[in-house]
Amino acid sequence: MLFSSRPSRASATLASAAAAALLLAGCASGGTTGSTGGGSAAPDAGDPVSGGTLVYASGDAEPDCLDPHVRGNYPQALLAGQFLETLFTKDADGEIVPWLAEGADVSDDGLEVVLTLREGIEFTDGTPLDAAAVWANIDHLKDPDTGSSTGYLAVGKIAEGTVEDARTLRLRLSAPDAALLESFSQPWVAIQSPAGIGRGQEENCAAPIGTGPFQVASWTRQDRVELIRNEDYTPPAEGAGHEGPAYLDGISWRFIPEAATRQSALQSGTVHVIDNPQPDAIAAAEASGALGHLDAPRPGASNRIELNTSKAPFDDPAVREAFVKSVDVDAGVESLFFGTARRSYSPLSSVEPMGHGDPAPFGVDTARAAELLDAAGWDERDAEGYRSKDGQRLSLEFPVSTNQSVPAEQSLFQQLQAAAKEAGFEVKLNLLDLSSWYGALFANDYDLVSAPYTKVGPDVLRILFHSDSTIPAPSGYFANLSQVKDAELDRLLTEAGEEADPTARAALYDQAQAFILAGHYILPLYDQQNHFLHSTSLQGVGATTAVASPVFHDVWIAE
Amino acid sequence: MSGPGSVPRGAGLPTGPRRSARLGAAAAGPPGLVAGGAGRLPALIAGAVAAVVVAAALAPGWLAPFDPLAIDPSAAFQAPSPAHWLGTDESGRDLLSRVIHGARDSLLIGAAATGVGLALALLLGVPAGLGAGGGRAGRWLDFGIGRVLEVLFALPGLLLALVFIALAGPGVATSVVAVGLGTAPGYARLIRTQVAVLRSSPMIEAAVVLGRPRGTILWRHLLPNALAPVLVLATLGLGQAVVWASALSFLGLGAPPPAPEWGSMLSAGRTYLGIAWWMTVFPGLAVVAVAASSTVLGRALSRRAAGL
Amino acid sequence: MTSKRTTPVRGRPGAGPGSRRRVVSAALRWLALKLAGAAFVLWAVATLIFVGIRLIPGDPAEAILGGPGSQASAEALAAARAEHGLDLPLTAQYAMQLERLAQGDLGQSYSLRVPVAELLAEQLPGTLLLAALAWALAWLLALGLALWSTLGGRGAALVASGLEIAAAAVPHFWLASLLVLLFSNALAWLPPVSTNTPAGLVLPVTTLALPLAGFLGQVMRESMLTAISSPFALSARARGEREAGVLLRHGLRHAALPGIGLSGWALGSLVSGAVVVETIFARPGLGRTLLGAVTLRDVPLVTGVALASAAAYVVVMAAADLAERIADPRLRAA
C-alpha cells in the first residue's frame, strides 16, 4: 500500500531515468502517481516510525521573510510548504483539487466565485480557519504595505469579498479568471492565521502561523530555520500518504549556499536532503543508487533565453531566427547536465498540461543562419571575425544573474557564446549580481536574457508575453522580457485567461504558444530544474506542493 | 642586541619613533630575512618558475597547445591524459591552455593592483616622510597622514577591498583598485620611513648644503634611494596581490568567466570538485607557484639589497 | 612620563607610595590614549564610508538600498531618504549619521531586514571562536616550526623555510577545497559543514591557521635565530644554562615579539580568511554575512561589519601593545 499506489497531493516524478524517458517533451501530465522510482524507498524499509529531525540543506537564497505573501519567491515557497497550506492544490494527475477549501462555485458570467471551506481546521495558534480568515489573507496580499509581488498578481482580479458565514466566502471579480483556482494552489497565496498577520510584518516574517504539518520554532539568520511538528495536524483532504501528524519530530532547515559543500554534507550524512544538487551528483546518485533522487520540475514557464525584440538587432525576425539556428543547445545540455535535464521546445514547463512544444523552429542550421544574416545586411566581417553592418558589429548583450543561474547553465551560456561566435555574433556574457542584473533589464541594456518564472498553470503566458507586461511595475520590474507586443497574441492570452471551458482554453493557449515559438521570441532550454537528493534512510519522499516544492509530512527516517 | 629594524615589526602598529616599519609593514606580510641559510637553490627555482609564468603571460599562444576558449562539449571533464596534460573542463576546454593563458590576466591584475597600491603609497608616504624631519607644518602633515594610514590599517586585509566593492560594484577594474587600496597602507608606511631616514642622511644634507634645487634633490636623490626597497617589497607583494585578486574572482567579485583567470577557473572547478579534481588542483597550484616564487625572489632581492 | 594632570589623586592623603600612583596614572593615561585612538578610528571609518557613498555617481538612497536596479520602490527610496536625511544639506546628514552611530544605531540591513546591530551580535561569537582558535593554532605551528628548525640544523631550516613559504602562498579558498576533498569526501573523517563541535571546527580552523602560520613562522624563526646567537644567549650558555633552557627562555620570547607585532596584520588575514572559510564551510558568522552584504551591496550591513572589525582591530592592537610591554623587557622600562 505504502509504496505501490500511495496517493499524494502532487507527487512529482520520482525520477528514474526510465520514468523520465517515458514522458514526452511538451505533453507531459503532472507526474506519475506514487511512483516508486529511483531509490526513493527501499522495499523492505518496514513500517513508518515516528521521531527524528530531518536536516535539510538549501542552496537557495535565505528568505528575508518567511511569510510568502511578502514579495513571494521560490525559496519562500520551499519553506512555507512545510507550515502553510493552500486553499487548493494539485493532485498526482496535475488536476487542481480542493485542499483547505471544500470547493468553489463559479457563476455563469465568471464574475462571482463562492468558496466553501472545510470544517474544523485550526491554525497552530488556535484561531479557526474560517471565511473571515481567508478574506483577511486576500486583503493582506492586496495591501500595498505587504509588498507582495507574486501573490498580489495571483489575486489581482478579485475586487471584493463578502463573508456569508463561517464557511462561505463570496468573491466578486473584475474580470473572469480561469486561473483563479490555480492561483489559490500556490504557496504565495497560502492561508495564514489572521492573528499572526495582525502582529505586524516584522513579527509575522519571523514565524508565520499556518495550518501545515510543521510550525516555525526559531530562525537563526544566515544559518537555519528550526521547524517542529504540528501535533494537531491532520491532512484536510484525501491525498496525503497518511492521516495524522507528521512522522518527523521536526526539520532543521539549513542554508548552505555552496553546492560542493551541500553535496559533501549529504554524502557524509551531516544532512538528509539537499536541493539544487549539481547535475553530476544527480547522475552519480542515479547510477549508484546510494542516494535517493526527487525530480520535480517546476510548473509555469520553462527555462528559456528571451530575445529582446524592442531594439536592434533582434527587432528583425530574420536575425532572431539566425541566432536560434546557429546555436546548438542539445550538445551542451547533454554534457553539462549529465542527462538530468531534457531539452524543452515549449514556453511552458513539461508539467503544464496545456504546454505546447515544437522542435521545428529550433533545428541547428548554420548555413541557413548565414543566409538570413547576409540577407538582413549583416554581411561584413570585422577583424575579429564578427559580422557587421554599416560598421556596426553584430553584438549582443547577455546579462546573467548569478543568483538565478546554476553553474551548469552559466557554462551552457558560454558554450552558446562560442557557437554564436562561429556564426558571427558577438555575445557579451555579463555575470551580474541580482541588483546589477535588474539594473541592466530596467535600462533595456540587454539583447538576450534568461529569467525563471514559476506559476501554477498556463496563465503564466499572459504574464510573460502580454504587451501589458512590458510596462514596468512600480518596482521597475516587467516580466515580458522579450518585449513582444502583438495585438493578436494579447487577444489570445486575454481570452484564454477568461475562458472557463478547458478545451477551448487549451486551444487558445496552443495558438498563443505556436505564435511565440514561430516568432523566435524565445529559445527554450529545459524545464526549471528542481531536483532533490536525499539519503536512502529517508522514506516516503515524493509529495510536493503545487509548485513542486517537497512536503515532508509523509517522510520518516529509517535506521 | 637587535636594534630597530632588524626585527621586522608588524603592519598595524601605530607610527611612532619606536616602531620600525621595515619590510614587514606591507600587506605582503612579513618577509622575514633569512640570513644566509637557505642558499641559492630556492631563488634559482623561484626564478625559473617566474620566467615560465612571465613567458606564459607574454606569449601564451607559443606555449599553449590549444585555444583556451575552444569549446568541445563531447570532450568535457576529461582527466589528465597525454592529449590534455591537465585534463579538460566542463566545456571540454583544455585546462593546460587555460592555465597558461590565465597567467596573463592573473599577473596583469596582480601587477596593476600592486601598481595602484604603490602609487597611492607614494602619494601618502613621500609627503609624510619629508614632513617627519621637517618643520612644524611638516610634522603636522606627517601626523595627519599617519592617522589616515592608521584608519586604513583598521580595515585590514580584504576588508577594505570588500567595502570598496560594496560601494563601487564588482568587476575587474574594481578588484584591481580594491586590492591596490588594501595594500597601499603597508607600502605607504614603508616609504614614509625610508624617506624620513634618507632625508636626514649625510648625502641629502650634502646636497642641501651644495644648494641643489629641492626638486632635483627629491627626484635625483630621495626617490631613487627610497624606491629600491619598495621595489623589493613590490616583488614580495605581487604574489600576495595575485592571491587576493584570485580570491575576489573566486568569490564572484572579480574577473568574469569565460576569461581564463585563475580565480574564476578555481571557482568553476569547485563546482565540479567531486568529479574533476584537476579543475581545482592545477589552477590553484599556479596561484601558489606565483605567490611562493615572488616571496622567494623578493627575499633574495632584499638580501642582496641588505648586502648579505 | 607621569602626567601632571593626574595629581589630584582620589586616594586618602598619604595613601600608597608615589611610585604606585605613578603606575596607576600611567595606566590610566595609556587607557585614555587607547580609547581616544579607538574613537578616532571608528569615527574615521564611518566618515570614510559616508563620503564613499556620496562619491559614487547616482542616488545615495539607491546605493543604501543596494545600488541601481535594486528594485527599490519609490516608497522604500523615500523611506531611506527620510531615515538618512538625504534631503538635508550634507553637513546635517553627516551630523545625523554620527549621532545615530554614537547611540549605537547602525541602521537596518536592507537585504535581511533586521537591525544591523542585532545581526552583528548574533554573528560575532561564531567568528570570534573561529578566529581565536585559528590564531592559537597558527602560533603553535609557527613556534613549533621555529623551534624544530633551530634545533634541527641547516636541513631543517631549509625544510621549515620551504613549508612556511608554501603555506603563506596558499589561498584560503583553495586550501579549503583540498581539505574537504581529502578529509570529507575521500576519507570521510571530518564533516564538510562546520559546527561548534571539535570535529566541526577542525577543517575551518586549519584552513585559516595554515597560511597565517606560514607568515608568522617566517618572522618568528628569523627572530629566534637572531636571539639564540645574541650576546646574552651566549652569556647564558657560558653561565651553564642548558641549550633547551636558552631556547625556551630567550628564543621563544624573541620569536614571540614579532608575532605580537604582527597582530593587526594577522587579524586582517583572519577576517579576510573568514569570508572565504565561513562561506565554504557553511558556517554562520561575520565573514559570510559580509560577503552576502557585499554581493547584494547592502551598504548599512557592510558599514556595520567594517565598524565591527575596525573595533576588533583597535582592541587587538591595544592588547598587542600590552603583550609587547610584558614580553619585551626593553619596553617595560619605558
Side-chain angles (χ1 to χ4, degrees), chain C residues 50 94 147 179 216 307:
Chain C
F50 177 87
Y94 181 58
L147 268 179
L179 289 176
L216 288 179
L307 284 173

Side-chain angles (χ1 to χ4, degrees), chain A residues 60 234 303 310-311 383:
Chain A
D60 274 296
T234 193
N303 263 18
S310 76
K311 59 175 193 172

Side-chain angles (χ1 to χ4, degrees), chain C residues 22-95:
Chain C
R22 219 174 297 139
V23 169
V24 170
S25 87
L28 279 177
R29 194 179 126 88
W30 179 85
L31 194 67
L33 259 176
K34 289 291 154 190
L35 281 176
F40 167 76
V41 165
L42 291 180
W43 164 78
V45 169
T47 306
L48 201 70
I49 294 171
F50 177 87
V51 173
I53 293 174
R54 275 138 190 100
L55 277 184
I56 34 172
D59 182 354
E62 205 174 70
I64 288 164
L65 293 176
S70 56
Q71 267 194 301
S73 63
E75 298 93 69
L77 285 173
R81 268 190 209 105
E83 194 188 332
H84 295 264
L86 295 178
D87 301 324
L88 304 174
L90 271 181
T91 47
Q93 289 179 32
Y94 181 58

Side-chain angles (χ1 to χ4, degrees), chain A residues 379-413:
Chain A
D379 49 2
E380 297 153 34
R381 293 265 186 171
D382 67 13
E384 287 177 59
Y386 294 113
R387 285 177 181 270
S388 62
K389 177 166 142 181
D390 309 330
Q392 196 82 357
R393 180 182 282 183
L394 183 52
S395 184
L396 304 170
E397 293 286 343
F398 190 177
V400 175
S401 154
T402 48
N403 306 56
Q404 296 190 9
S405 190
V406 296
E409 187 167 273
Q410 291 171 24
S411 300
L412 177 66
F413 294 160

Side-chain angles (χ1 to χ4, degrees), chain C residues 138-152:
Chain C
W139 268 76
L140 271 179
L141 288 174
L143 282 176
L145 210 57
L147 268 179
W148 175 71
S149 75
T150 312
L151 293 170

Side-chain angles (χ1 to χ4, degrees), chain B:
Chain B
M1 276 290 304
S2 49
S6 72
V7 178
R9 283 185 198 275
L13 298 175
T15 35
R18 184 169 67 76
R19 312 290 191 201
S20 145
R22 268 197 66 176
L23 300 170
L33 310 171
V34 174
R40 281 199 162 177
L41 188 65
L44 284 177
I45 296 173
V49 170
V52 171
V53 174
V54 169
L58 291 177
W62 282 49
L63 291 171
F66 297 96
D67 176 353
L69 297 174
I71 276 171
D72 179 6
S74 62
F77 299 115
Q78 287 187 3
S81 67
H84 299 282
W85 289 6
L86 305 186
T88 62
D89 71 3
E90 80 277 13
S91 290
R93 293 173 292 212
D94 179 59
L95 210 60
L96 175 61
S97 304
R98 286 178 68 73
V99 170
I100 289 171
H101 279 262
R104 174 176 289 178
D105 278 15
S106 299
L107 274 195
L108 262 184
I109 292 173
T114 309
V116 168
L118 279 181
L120 272 172
L122 281 172
L123 227 56
L124 289 170
V126 171
L130 289 176
R136 197 185 170 82
R139 281 201 300 277
W140 273 108
L141 183 68
D142 178 38
F143 179 80
I145 292 176
R147 300 286 77 70
V148 170
L149 290 181
E150 198 172 305
V151 172
L152 293 181
F153 274 124
L155 297 174
L158 278 184
L159 200 66
L160 190 58
L162 287 173
V163 169
F164 181 72
I165 289 171
L167 293 177
V172 176
T174 325
S175 73
V176 163
V177 178
V179 172
L181 265 179
T183 52
Y187 295 139
R189 184 162 290 173
L190 174 76
I191 291 171
R192 177 202 166 273
T193 314
Q194 285 291 330
V195 170
V197 169
L198 279 170
R199 195 188 184 281
S200 52
S201 70
M203 176 185 67
I204 304 292
E205 301 266 310
V208 173
V209 169
L210 288 173
R212 293 269 160 79
R214 294 184 114 190
T216 315
I217 294 175
L218 185 66
W219 286 108
R220 284 266 186 81
H221 302 288
L222 257 172
L223 280 182
N225 284 300
L227 275 181
V230 171
L231 288 178
V232 169
L233 200 76
T235 315
L236 282 161
L238 178 68
Q240 211 54 30
V242 168
V243 170
W244 280 19
S246 72
L248 290 180
S249 299
F250 176 79
L251 295 172
L253 301 170
E261 196 270 340
W262 292 336
S264 53
M265 287 169 72
L266 281 164
S267 181
R270 184 162 166 70
T271 305
Y272 302 104
L273 194 59
I275 54 164
W277 54 268
W278 50 93
M279 286 176 66
T280 288
V281 169
F282 295 121
L285 277 179
V287 174
V288 172
V290 166
S293 62
S294 98
T295 307
V296 174
L297 283 182
R299 286 165 56 156
L301 282 177
S302 80
R303 268 204 303 277
R304 174 169 293 189
L308 289 167

Side-chain angles (χ1 to χ4, degrees), chain C residues 268-304:
Chain C
S269 159
L270 290 170
V271 171
S272 319
V275 172
V276 170
V277 164
E278 288 174 356
T279 304
I280 290 182
F281 292 103
R283 212 187 131 76
L286 276 192
R288 191 172 154 193
T289 306
L290 177 63
L291 180 62
V294 169
T295 318
L296 295 169
R297 303 183 57 185
D298 185 340
V299 171
L301 189 48
V302 172
T303 310

